[in-house]
Short mmCIF file of all heavy atoms in Angstrom, two decimals:
data_model
loop_
_atom_site.label_atom_id
_atom_site.label_comp_id
_atom_site.label_asym_id
_atom_site.label_seq_id
_atom_site.Cartn_x
_atom_site.Cartn_y
_atom_site.Cartn_z
N TYR A 40 140.90 199.32 197.79
CA TYR A 40 140.51 200.60 197.19
C TYR A 40 140.00 200.41 195.76
O TYR A 40 138.97 200.97 195.37
CB TYR A 40 141.70 201.56 197.22
CG TYR A 40 141.49 202.80 196.38
CD1 TYR A 40 140.66 203.83 196.84
CD2 TYR A 40 142.09 202.91 195.13
CE1 TYR A 40 140.46 204.95 196.06
CE2 TYR A 40 141.88 204.04 194.35
CZ TYR A 40 141.07 205.06 194.82
OH TYR A 40 140.87 206.18 194.04
N ARG A 41 140.74 199.61 194.99
CA ARG A 41 140.34 199.39 193.60
C ARG A 41 139.03 198.60 193.50
O ARG A 41 138.23 198.83 192.59
CB ARG A 41 141.47 198.69 192.83
CG ARG A 41 142.72 199.56 192.72
CD ARG A 41 143.78 198.93 191.85
NE ARG A 41 145.00 199.74 191.83
CZ ARG A 41 145.17 200.81 191.07
NH1 ARG A 41 144.20 201.20 190.25
NH2 ARG A 41 146.31 201.49 191.12
N LEU A 42 138.79 197.66 194.40
CA LEU A 42 137.51 196.95 194.42
C LEU A 42 136.35 197.90 194.69
O LEU A 42 135.30 197.84 194.05
CB LEU A 42 137.55 195.84 195.47
CG LEU A 42 138.28 194.57 195.09
CD1 LEU A 42 138.33 193.60 196.27
CD2 LEU A 42 137.62 193.89 193.89
N HIS A 43 136.54 198.78 195.68
CA HIS A 43 135.50 199.78 195.97
C HIS A 43 135.24 200.66 194.75
O HIS A 43 134.09 201.01 194.43
CB HIS A 43 135.92 200.63 197.17
CG HIS A 43 135.68 199.97 198.48
ND1 HIS A 43 134.42 199.71 198.98
CD2 HIS A 43 136.56 199.50 199.43
CE1 HIS A 43 134.52 199.12 200.17
NE2 HIS A 43 135.81 198.97 200.47
N GLU A 44 136.31 201.03 194.04
CA GLU A 44 136.18 201.87 192.85
C GLU A 44 135.40 201.16 191.74
O GLU A 44 134.52 201.75 191.11
CB GLU A 44 137.59 202.25 192.38
CG GLU A 44 137.59 203.35 191.34
CD GLU A 44 139.01 203.72 190.94
OE1 GLU A 44 139.87 202.81 190.91
OE2 GLU A 44 139.26 204.90 190.66
N ILE A 45 135.72 199.89 191.49
CA ILE A 45 135.02 199.11 190.47
C ILE A 45 133.56 198.92 190.83
O ILE A 45 132.65 199.06 189.99
CB ILE A 45 135.73 197.75 190.26
CG1 ILE A 45 137.13 197.95 189.68
CG2 ILE A 45 134.89 196.85 189.36
CD1 ILE A 45 137.14 198.57 188.30
N ILE A 46 133.29 198.62 192.11
CA ILE A 46 131.90 198.40 192.54
C ILE A 46 131.09 199.69 192.43
O ILE A 46 129.93 199.69 192.00
CB ILE A 46 131.88 197.84 193.97
CG1 ILE A 46 132.47 196.42 193.99
CG2 ILE A 46 130.47 197.84 194.53
CD1 ILE A 46 132.66 195.85 195.38
N ALA A 47 131.69 200.81 192.80
CA ALA A 47 130.99 202.10 192.68
C ALA A 47 130.66 202.40 191.21
O ALA A 47 129.58 202.90 190.88
CB ALA A 47 131.84 203.20 193.30
N GLU A 48 131.61 202.13 190.34
CA GLU A 48 131.37 202.36 188.91
C GLU A 48 130.29 201.41 188.38
O GLU A 48 129.44 201.80 187.57
CB GLU A 48 132.68 202.16 188.13
CG GLU A 48 132.68 202.74 186.73
CD GLU A 48 132.74 204.25 186.74
OE1 GLU A 48 133.40 204.81 187.63
OE2 GLU A 48 132.10 204.85 185.84
N ALA A 49 130.31 200.15 188.84
CA ALA A 49 129.30 199.18 188.39
C ALA A 49 127.91 199.56 188.87
O ALA A 49 126.91 199.33 188.16
CB ALA A 49 129.67 197.79 188.88
N MET A 50 127.83 200.15 190.08
CA MET A 50 126.52 200.56 190.58
C MET A 50 125.93 201.69 189.76
O MET A 50 124.71 201.84 189.67
CB MET A 50 126.65 200.97 192.05
CG MET A 50 126.93 199.78 192.99
SD MET A 50 127.07 200.26 194.71
CE MET A 50 125.38 200.75 195.03
N LYS A 51 126.79 202.51 189.13
CA LYS A 51 126.27 203.54 188.23
C LYS A 51 125.56 202.91 187.03
O LYS A 51 124.47 203.35 186.62
CB LYS A 51 127.42 204.42 187.74
CG LYS A 51 128.07 205.26 188.84
CD LYS A 51 129.20 206.09 188.25
CE LYS A 51 129.91 206.91 189.34
NZ LYS A 51 131.03 207.69 188.79
N PHE A 52 126.18 201.86 186.47
CA PHE A 52 125.53 201.15 185.36
C PHE A 52 124.23 200.51 185.82
O PHE A 52 123.24 200.48 185.07
CB PHE A 52 126.49 200.08 184.79
CG PHE A 52 127.60 200.64 183.96
CD1 PHE A 52 128.86 200.87 184.51
CD2 PHE A 52 127.38 200.96 182.63
CE1 PHE A 52 129.88 201.39 183.75
CE2 PHE A 52 128.41 201.48 181.85
CZ PHE A 52 129.65 201.70 182.41
N MET A 53 124.21 199.99 187.05
CA MET A 53 123.00 199.37 187.56
C MET A 53 121.87 200.39 187.69
O MET A 53 120.72 200.14 187.28
CB MET A 53 123.29 198.73 188.91
CG MET A 53 122.09 198.08 189.58
SD MET A 53 122.42 197.61 191.29
CE MET A 53 122.45 199.25 192.06
N ARG A 54 122.17 201.57 188.22
CA ARG A 54 121.14 202.59 188.40
C ARG A 54 120.64 203.13 187.06
O ARG A 54 119.45 203.37 186.88
CB ARG A 54 121.69 203.73 189.26
CG ARG A 54 121.79 203.38 190.74
CD ARG A 54 122.04 204.63 191.58
NE ARG A 54 123.35 205.21 191.27
CZ ARG A 54 124.46 204.92 191.93
NH1 ARG A 54 124.43 204.02 192.92
NH2 ARG A 54 125.61 205.49 191.60
N HIS A 55 121.55 203.33 186.10
CA HIS A 55 121.14 203.81 184.78
C HIS A 55 120.29 202.76 184.04
O HIS A 55 119.51 203.12 183.15
CB HIS A 55 122.36 204.18 183.94
CG HIS A 55 122.97 205.50 184.33
ND1 HIS A 55 122.34 206.70 184.14
CD2 HIS A 55 124.16 205.80 184.92
CE1 HIS A 55 123.09 207.69 184.58
NE2 HIS A 55 124.22 207.17 185.06
N SER A 56 120.46 201.50 184.39
CA SER A 56 119.66 200.43 183.78
C SER A 56 118.34 200.22 184.51
O SER A 56 117.61 199.27 184.18
CB SER A 56 120.45 199.13 183.76
OG SER A 56 121.65 199.27 183.03
N LYS A 57 118.04 201.05 185.50
CA LYS A 57 116.78 200.97 186.25
C LYS A 57 116.64 199.63 186.95
O LYS A 57 115.56 199.03 186.98
CB LYS A 57 115.57 201.21 185.33
CG LYS A 57 115.64 202.46 184.48
CD LYS A 57 115.65 203.72 185.31
CE LYS A 57 115.66 204.96 184.43
NZ LYS A 57 115.74 206.21 185.24
N ARG A 58 117.76 199.16 187.52
CA ARG A 58 117.73 197.89 188.26
C ARG A 58 118.18 198.14 189.69
O ARG A 58 118.83 199.15 190.02
CB ARG A 58 118.64 196.86 187.58
CG ARG A 58 118.05 196.28 186.30
CD ARG A 58 118.91 195.18 185.72
NE ARG A 58 120.05 195.73 184.97
CZ ARG A 58 121.29 195.76 185.42
NH1 ARG A 58 121.59 195.30 186.64
NH2 ARG A 58 122.28 196.25 184.68
N THR A 59 117.86 197.16 190.52
CA THR A 59 118.28 197.22 191.94
C THR A 59 119.23 196.09 192.29
O THR A 59 119.66 195.99 193.44
CB THR A 59 117.05 197.16 192.86
OG1 THR A 59 116.32 195.95 192.59
CG2 THR A 59 116.13 198.36 192.64
N LYS A 60 119.53 195.23 191.33
CA LYS A 60 120.42 194.11 191.59
C LYS A 60 121.66 194.25 190.71
O LYS A 60 121.55 194.42 189.49
CB LYS A 60 119.72 192.78 191.32
CG LYS A 60 120.59 191.56 191.62
CD LYS A 60 119.83 190.28 191.31
CE LYS A 60 118.71 190.06 192.30
NZ LYS A 60 118.05 188.76 192.11
N LEU A 61 122.84 194.13 191.33
CA LEU A 61 124.09 194.24 190.60
C LEU A 61 124.37 192.92 189.88
O LEU A 61 124.23 191.84 190.46
CB LEU A 61 125.24 194.56 191.57
CG LEU A 61 126.53 195.09 190.96
CD1 LEU A 61 126.29 196.47 190.33
CD2 LEU A 61 127.62 195.18 192.04
N THR A 62 124.75 193.02 188.61
CA THR A 62 125.00 191.82 187.80
C THR A 62 126.45 191.80 187.34
O THR A 62 127.19 192.79 187.46
CB THR A 62 124.06 191.79 186.58
OG1 THR A 62 124.36 192.90 185.74
CG2 THR A 62 122.60 191.84 187.00
N VAL A 63 126.82 190.65 186.75
CA VAL A 63 128.16 190.50 186.21
C VAL A 63 128.39 191.47 185.06
O VAL A 63 129.50 191.99 184.86
CB VAL A 63 128.38 189.04 185.75
CG1 VAL A 63 129.76 188.87 185.12
CG2 VAL A 63 128.21 188.09 186.92
N THR A 64 127.34 191.74 184.31
CA THR A 64 127.47 192.67 183.19
C THR A 64 127.85 194.07 183.67
O THR A 64 128.65 194.76 183.03
CB THR A 64 126.13 192.73 182.41
OG1 THR A 64 125.75 191.41 182.03
CG2 THR A 64 126.26 193.59 181.15
N ASP A 65 127.29 194.50 184.79
CA ASP A 65 127.65 195.80 185.34
C ASP A 65 129.14 195.84 185.73
O ASP A 65 129.83 196.85 185.48
CB ASP A 65 126.79 196.11 186.56
CG ASP A 65 125.31 196.19 186.21
OD1 ASP A 65 125.01 196.59 185.07
OD2 ASP A 65 124.47 195.86 187.06
N ILE A 66 129.65 194.75 186.35
CA ILE A 66 131.06 194.69 186.73
C ILE A 66 131.96 194.76 185.50
O ILE A 66 132.95 195.50 185.44
CB ILE A 66 131.36 193.41 187.53
CG1 ILE A 66 130.51 193.37 188.81
CG2 ILE A 66 132.83 193.27 187.84
CD1 ILE A 66 130.87 194.45 189.80
N ASN A 67 131.60 194.00 184.45
CA ASN A 67 132.40 194.00 183.23
C ASN A 67 132.37 195.38 182.55
O ASN A 67 133.37 195.82 181.99
CB ASN A 67 131.91 192.94 182.27
CG ASN A 67 132.31 191.54 182.71
OD1 ASN A 67 133.28 191.38 183.47
ND2 ASN A 67 131.59 190.53 182.26
N SER A 68 131.22 196.04 182.60
CA SER A 68 131.15 197.39 182.02
C SER A 68 132.04 198.35 182.78
O SER A 68 132.72 199.21 182.19
CB SER A 68 129.70 197.89 182.04
OG SER A 68 128.86 197.03 181.29
N ALA A 69 132.07 198.22 184.11
CA ALA A 69 132.94 199.08 184.91
C ALA A 69 134.41 198.80 184.62
O ALA A 69 135.24 199.72 184.56
CB ALA A 69 132.64 198.88 186.39
N LEU A 70 134.74 197.53 184.41
CA LEU A 70 136.13 197.19 184.09
C LEU A 70 136.53 197.77 182.74
O LEU A 70 137.67 198.24 182.57
CB LEU A 70 136.30 195.67 184.09
CG LEU A 70 136.22 194.98 185.47
CD1 LEU A 70 136.23 193.47 185.31
CD2 LEU A 70 137.36 195.43 186.38
N ARG A 71 135.63 197.73 181.77
CA ARG A 71 135.96 198.29 180.46
C ARG A 71 136.18 199.80 180.56
O ARG A 71 137.02 200.37 179.85
CB ARG A 71 134.83 197.98 179.47
CG ARG A 71 134.75 196.51 179.07
CD ARG A 71 133.78 196.31 177.91
NE ARG A 71 133.69 194.92 177.52
CZ ARG A 71 132.77 194.07 178.00
NH1 ARG A 71 131.87 194.49 178.89
NH2 ARG A 71 132.74 192.82 177.59
N VAL A 72 135.35 200.46 181.38
CA VAL A 72 135.54 201.90 181.56
C VAL A 72 136.91 202.21 182.14
O VAL A 72 137.57 203.19 181.77
CB VAL A 72 134.41 202.46 182.46
CG1 VAL A 72 134.73 203.90 182.88
CG2 VAL A 72 133.09 202.42 181.73
N ARG A 73 137.39 201.32 183.05
CA ARG A 73 138.72 201.51 183.67
C ARG A 73 139.85 200.94 182.83
O ARG A 73 140.99 200.86 183.27
CB ARG A 73 138.73 200.82 185.04
CG ARG A 73 137.78 201.46 186.05
CD ARG A 73 138.26 202.85 186.40
NE ARG A 73 137.29 203.55 187.25
CZ ARG A 73 137.47 204.77 187.72
NH1 ARG A 73 138.57 205.44 187.39
NH2 ARG A 73 136.57 205.34 188.48
N ASN A 74 139.49 200.52 181.61
CA ASN A 74 140.49 199.97 180.69
C ASN A 74 141.13 198.70 181.24
O ASN A 74 142.33 198.48 181.12
CB ASN A 74 141.57 201.01 180.39
CG ASN A 74 142.30 200.70 179.08
OD1 ASN A 74 141.78 199.97 178.23
ND2 ASN A 74 143.51 201.21 178.93
N VAL A 75 140.28 197.87 181.87
CA VAL A 75 140.73 196.60 182.42
C VAL A 75 139.99 195.49 181.68
O VAL A 75 138.79 195.62 181.38
CB VAL A 75 140.45 196.51 183.93
CG1 VAL A 75 140.91 195.16 184.49
CG2 VAL A 75 141.15 197.64 184.67
N GLU A 76 140.70 194.44 181.36
CA GLU A 76 140.07 193.33 180.64
C GLU A 76 138.95 192.73 181.49
O GLU A 76 139.15 192.44 182.68
CB GLU A 76 141.12 192.27 180.32
CG GLU A 76 140.59 191.16 179.41
CD GLU A 76 141.68 190.18 179.01
OE1 GLU A 76 142.82 190.33 179.49
OE2 GLU A 76 141.37 189.28 178.22
N PRO A 77 137.77 192.52 180.92
CA PRO A 77 136.64 192.00 181.72
C PRO A 77 136.86 190.55 182.13
O PRO A 77 137.73 189.86 181.61
CB PRO A 77 135.45 192.14 180.77
CG PRO A 77 136.04 192.13 179.41
CD PRO A 77 137.38 192.79 179.53
N ILE A 78 136.03 190.10 183.06
CA ILE A 78 136.09 188.74 183.55
C ILE A 78 135.27 187.86 182.62
O ILE A 78 134.08 188.15 182.37
CB ILE A 78 135.55 188.65 184.98
CG1 ILE A 78 136.35 189.59 185.90
CG2 ILE A 78 135.61 187.23 185.51
CD1 ILE A 78 135.78 189.70 187.29
N TYR A 79 135.86 186.81 182.10
CA TYR A 79 135.17 185.93 181.16
C TYR A 79 134.62 184.70 181.89
O TYR A 79 135.18 184.25 182.89
CB TYR A 79 136.13 185.48 180.05
CG TYR A 79 136.68 186.63 179.25
CD1 TYR A 79 138.01 187.04 179.41
CD2 TYR A 79 135.88 187.30 178.33
CE1 TYR A 79 138.52 188.10 178.67
CE2 TYR A 79 136.39 188.35 177.59
CZ TYR A 79 137.70 188.74 177.76
OH TYR A 79 138.19 189.80 177.03
N GLY A 80 133.51 184.18 181.34
CA GLY A 80 132.96 182.93 181.87
C GLY A 80 131.88 183.09 182.89
O GLY A 80 131.34 182.09 183.39
N PHE A 81 131.50 184.31 183.23
CA PHE A 81 130.47 184.51 184.25
C PHE A 81 129.22 185.20 183.69
O PHE A 81 128.37 185.61 184.45
CB PHE A 81 131.03 185.36 185.40
CG PHE A 81 132.06 184.64 186.23
CD1 PHE A 81 133.40 184.75 185.94
CD2 PHE A 81 131.65 183.83 187.28
CE1 PHE A 81 134.35 184.09 186.71
CE2 PHE A 81 132.59 183.16 188.04
CZ PHE A 81 133.94 183.29 187.75
N GLU A 82 129.14 185.36 182.36
CA GLU A 82 127.95 185.96 181.77
C GLU A 82 126.79 184.98 181.83
O GLU A 82 126.85 183.89 181.26
CB GLU A 82 128.22 186.34 180.30
CG GLU A 82 129.23 187.45 180.13
CD GLU A 82 128.65 188.80 180.49
OE1 GLU A 82 127.42 188.90 180.61
OE2 GLU A 82 129.42 189.76 180.62
N THR A 83 125.74 185.32 182.52
CA THR A 83 124.59 184.43 182.65
C THR A 83 123.35 185.27 182.92
O THR A 83 123.43 186.34 183.55
CB THR A 83 124.80 183.40 183.77
OG1 THR A 83 123.61 182.63 183.91
CG2 THR A 83 125.09 184.10 185.10
N GLY A 84 122.23 184.77 182.46
CA GLY A 84 120.98 185.47 182.72
C GLY A 84 120.39 185.13 184.07
O GLY A 84 119.44 185.77 184.52
N ARG A 85 120.92 184.09 184.70
CA ARG A 85 120.40 183.69 186.00
C ARG A 85 121.33 184.21 187.10
O ARG A 85 122.53 184.35 186.90
CB ARG A 85 120.34 182.16 186.08
CG ARG A 85 119.37 181.55 185.08
CD ARG A 85 119.50 180.06 185.06
NE ARG A 85 120.84 179.65 184.63
CZ ARG A 85 121.21 178.38 184.53
NH1 ARG A 85 120.36 177.42 184.82
NH2 ARG A 85 122.43 178.09 184.14
N PRO A 86 120.77 184.48 188.28
CA PRO A 86 121.62 184.92 189.39
C PRO A 86 122.58 183.81 189.82
O PRO A 86 122.22 182.63 189.83
CB PRO A 86 120.62 185.27 190.50
CG PRO A 86 119.39 184.50 190.16
CD PRO A 86 119.34 184.41 188.67
#
Side-chain angles (χ1 to χ4, degrees):
Y40 168 76
R41 295 186 184 279
L42 281 176
H43 280 292
E44 192 178 35
I45 294 296
I46 292 173
E48 197 73 34
M50 290 181 68
K51 293 180 182 178
F52 285 97
M53 178 190 72
R54 285 193 295 268
H55 283 293
S56 300
K57 309 296 183 183
R58 285 185 280 104
T59 58
K60 182 181 290 186
L61 197 65
T62 64
V63 178
T64 306
D65 298 329
I66 300 294
N67 285 337
S68 300
L70 291 173
R71 289 190 180 93
V72 169
R73 294 293 174 179
N74 202 21
V75 179
E76 188 175 3
I78 303 173
Y79 299 107
F81 290 93
E82 293 285 347
T83 176
R85 296 171 298 180

